[in-house]
């Protein structure tokens, strides 16, 4: 421990007047005081001087730095892949025993030299090892991101990764391996030999199709070790072959995307399967078949995303809205005019209205104003013509140029339920390019985000909502939404948070189009790896969001088993955590019991099985080797664990190091200083009392 010199928050020269004041007050009491003897007078003068001096010096807030040195071991993270693919070609008991031997050896050899942290992962990271191997997805990048964040500024020396290298979710682990300073040492499990195998690698299709419409299905076929063979790929429904195509495998490492054009017959949820007949000497036939589902709708919500001109924001909006079951999305710009807007329930207006005459004609269409409208301003917007209509903000100023504005969330926003911690999440999003103008609220509205210019919250609206009778309106004051979508993926590895915001605004706007006071927000198709949570919106007769009443839910599976849930009231809606559901077909009934009525909603949904863990047999040694090479590590097999441990024990990074913790200590927080003051004052009081004063 090392105490550095004392510092003061106030100027040091103030010590001189403080010293003089302390002498003056003490002298006033004891200078030429005849009540005590001369030696006692000097002693009492000194005691009072010390008390006054200490109290006065505390006004300068003196402090000092206290440094503590701690001896710290370097850290090794041991991360075990507990996804289902680890069991390909073996059973869980023998795999667990093999891995347990490796872990015991790691503990025995490295625990004296390193601090060991044992983790497991599949599509998420767990802080303990369970040996369950039941993960439906593998996200190696997630565990690398987790360790880099957890051990930021700490001596993380290496990551021992026990995995087969199969990765089918999230950002590529090569990105993290290349951009971190920690060496990765994969211990490879699974068969590394090239196996003869044919499998369906992926199926791409739209989830929601209008009934009797044609839709494309793209099937990605992978084949290894069958060069020159012919292969048949079939799409089936209810056991009947709809289409089939024959292809020739022209290499031992074959990959091709095959397109089928199908017709959406029937209504509701429709099940299809893609199947490849088994080839001779094929090692794994579990991955020769895969199922997919579509929602076939007679009619749905038609949304028009209309731009003054082509813009990347239009694609970002469409990508988010196309994820919602029952939405049919069209993108148009003024160059597509003439067209009618009568078939759409919601119109998103990007950069419109503008000064273009085609814009004026669109706004003059008979039923245009009877739609749900979402205005998004850009540099092409004719802002004065917007505010002449039903806009709840007005300004007596002209637009004085454009500037970049960050998001300042309004946490009292109440029109609909937002995700947990939404204000913290969206506050970090990139700024939008907004017009520089001051607004004044003239009618009722609800603001989601205000503008923040270079860290200063101006109070001007950035995004808000309002109503025109039953119809809903939304307004976003700037362009640049495409940056939000990219930022979301860079930060989280998905577009979920961006999509959620766009989808919630659109759902709110559509509530005014239909006379529907009870709305359950759910998907018609889930994956068995999805953590399901449903939200509900309940409205009063004036179509204002309420959170009163009891909202219940009953879900029934194919076996007739029923599961009951209660929605919890939130500030602006209801939510019910469903959790994980097994693959299968489900129906549900929801009921909202209100003081004036009972509202009901029912429907069906599918939980689809995730079979990507069985898609590829053996290990992906190429990926693990690339990770090791990029990070400065090397690959090993379970039998070579001793060599890895020997290398780590003899590594220069194995030396223990000192960490220095520096702490600021204020004198006013020192307990012994208070005791000293009590002691000085007590001694003075006792002496005065003993010799005839007080």
């Amino acid at each position: 421990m090392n105490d550095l010199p004392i510092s003061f928050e106030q100027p040091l020269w103030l010590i001189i007047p403080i010293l003089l004041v302390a002498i003056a007050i003490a002298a006033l009491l004891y200078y030429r005081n005849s009540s005590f003897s001369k030696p006692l007078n000097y002693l009492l003068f000194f005691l009072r001087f010390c008390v006054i001096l200490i109290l006065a010096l505390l006004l300068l807030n003196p402090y000092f730095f206290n440094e503590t040195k701690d001896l710290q071991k370097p850290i090794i993270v041991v991360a075990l892949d507990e996804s289902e693919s680890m069991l390909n070609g073996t059973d869980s008991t023998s795999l667990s025993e093999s891995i347990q031997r490796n872990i015991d050896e790691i503990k025995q050899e490295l625990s004296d030299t390193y601090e060991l942290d044992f983790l497991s992962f599949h599509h998420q990271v767990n802080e303990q090892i369970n040996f369950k191997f039941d993960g439906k997805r593998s996200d190696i990048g997630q565990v690398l991101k987790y360790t880099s964040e957890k051990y930021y500024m700490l001596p993380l020396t290496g990551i021992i990764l026990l995995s087969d290298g199969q990765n089918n979710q999230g950002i590529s682990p090569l990105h993290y391996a290349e951009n971190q300073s920690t060496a990765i040492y994969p211990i490879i499990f699974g068969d590394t030999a090239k196996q003869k195998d044919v499998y369906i690698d992926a199926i791409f299709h739209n989830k929601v199709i209008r009934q009797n419409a044609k839709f494309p299905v793209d099937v990605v076929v992978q084949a290894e070790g069958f060069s020159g063979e012919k292969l048949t790929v079939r799409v089936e429904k209810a056991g009947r072959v709809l289409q089939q195509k024959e292809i020739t495998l022209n290499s031992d490492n074959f990959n091709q995307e095959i397109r089928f054009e199908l017709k959406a017959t029937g209504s509701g949820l429709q099940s299809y399967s893609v199947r490849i007949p088994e080839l001779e000497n094929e090692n794994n036939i579990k991955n020769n078949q895969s199922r997919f589902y579509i929602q076939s709708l007679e009619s749905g919500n038609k949304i028009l995303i209309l731009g003054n001109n082509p813009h990347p924001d239009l694609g970002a909006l469409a990508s988010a809205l196309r994820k919602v079951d029952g939405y049919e999305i069209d993108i148009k710009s003024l160059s597509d005019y003439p067209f009618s807007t009568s078939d759409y329930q919601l119109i998103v207006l990007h950069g419109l209205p503008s000064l273009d005459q085609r814009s004026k004609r669109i706004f003059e269409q008979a039923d245009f104003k009877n739609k749900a409208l979402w205005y998004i301003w850009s540099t092409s917007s004719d802002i004065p013509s917007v505010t002449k209509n039903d806009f709840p903000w007005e300004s007596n100023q002209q637009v004085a140029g454009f500037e970049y504005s960050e998001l300042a969330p309004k946490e009292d926003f109440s029109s609909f339920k937002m995700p947990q911690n939404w204000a913290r999440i969206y506050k970090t999003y990139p700024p939008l390019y907004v017009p520089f103008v001051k607004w004044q609220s003239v009618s009722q509205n609800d603001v989601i985000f205000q503008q923040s210019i270079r860290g200063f919250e101006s109070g001007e609206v950035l995004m808000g909502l309002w109503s025109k009778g039953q119809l809903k309106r939304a307004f976003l004051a700037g362009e640049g939404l495409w940056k939000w979508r990219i930022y979301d993926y860079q930060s989280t590895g998905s577009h979920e948070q961006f999509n959620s915001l766009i989808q919630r605004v659109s759902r709110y706007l559509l509530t005014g189009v239909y006379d529907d006071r009870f709305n359950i927000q759910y998907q018609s198709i889930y994956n068995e790896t999805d953590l399901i949570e449903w939200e509900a919106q309940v409205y009063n007769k004036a179509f204002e969001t309420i959170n009163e009443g009891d909202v219940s839910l009953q879900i029934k599976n194919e076996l007739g088993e029923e599961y009951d849930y209660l929605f919890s009231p939130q500030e602006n809606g209801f939510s019910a955590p469903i959790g994980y559901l097994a693959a299968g077909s489900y129906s549900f009934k929801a009921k909202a019991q209100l003081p004036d009525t009972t509202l009901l909603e029912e429907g069906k949904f599918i939980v689809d099985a995730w079979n990507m863990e069985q898609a590829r047999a053996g290990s992906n040694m190429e990926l693990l080797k690339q990770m090791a090479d990029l990070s400065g590590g090397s690959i090993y097999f379970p039998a070579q664990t001793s060599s890895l441990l020997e290398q780590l024990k003899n590594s220069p990074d194995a030396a223990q190091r000192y960490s220095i913790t520096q702490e600021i200590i204020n004198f006013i927080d020192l307990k012994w200083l208070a005791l000293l003051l009590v002691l000085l004052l007590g001694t003075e009081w006792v002496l005065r009392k003993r010799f005839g004063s007080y």
Side-chain angles (χ1 to χ4, degrees), residues 7 52 60 93 107 126 141 191 205 254 343 370 676:
S7 301
I52 296 171
L60 300 181
T93 302
K107 288 179 180 178
N126 299 311
D191 191 351
H205 62 94
F254 177 85
D343 292 337
N370 295 323
L676 177 61

Side-chain angles (χ1 to χ4, degrees), residues 7 65 79 84 112 126 181 195 209 221 262 274 282 336 354 373 425 476 491 508-509 556 595 640 678:
S7 301
F65 292 96
E84 283 185 347
D112 291 338
N126 299 311
S181 57
Q195 299 191 19
I209 313 294
V221 175
L262 305 178
V274 179
E282 187 176 352
D336 298 309
S354 67
L373 300 177
I425 292 169
L476 181 64
S491 302
Y508 169 80
L509 294 173
K556 182 186 293 187
Q640 299 173 317
V678 171

Side-chain angles (χ1 to χ4, degrees), residues 75-139:
I75 302 168
I76 292 284
V77 170
V78 182
L80 172 62
D81 184 350
E82 291 195 12
S83 60
E84 283 185 347
S85 64
M86 290 282 284
L87 295 177
N88 288 345
T90 185
D91 62 84
S92 59
T93 302
S94 60
L95 180 64
S96 297
E97 291 174 352
S98 172
I99 292 175
Q100 187 64 63
R101 287 193 294 271
N102 288 111
I103 289 176
D104 290 342
E105 187 176 2
I106 291 170
K107 288 179 180 178
Q108 182 178 350
E109 296 295 327
L110 298 184
S111 57
D112 291 338
T113 308
Y114 292 93
E115 179 183 335
L116 301 176
D117 185 10
F118 292 90
L119 308 172
S120 65
F121 69 95
H122 32 81
H123 65 279
Q124 62 186 16
V125 178
N126 299 311
E127 294 193 344
Q128 58 184 4
I129 293 177
N130 301 308
F131 296 103
K132 290 185 177 180
F133 305 104
D134 57 356
K136 301 293 184 180
R137 302 184 187 219
S138 301
D139 189 350

Side-chain angles (χ1 to χ4, degrees), residues 65-80:
F65 292 96
N66 182 53
E67 286 188 354
T68 304
K69 289 184 178 180
D70 295 316
L71 192 62
Q72 190 173 26
K73 293 180 180 180
I75 302 168
I76 292 284
V77 170
V78 182
L80 172 62

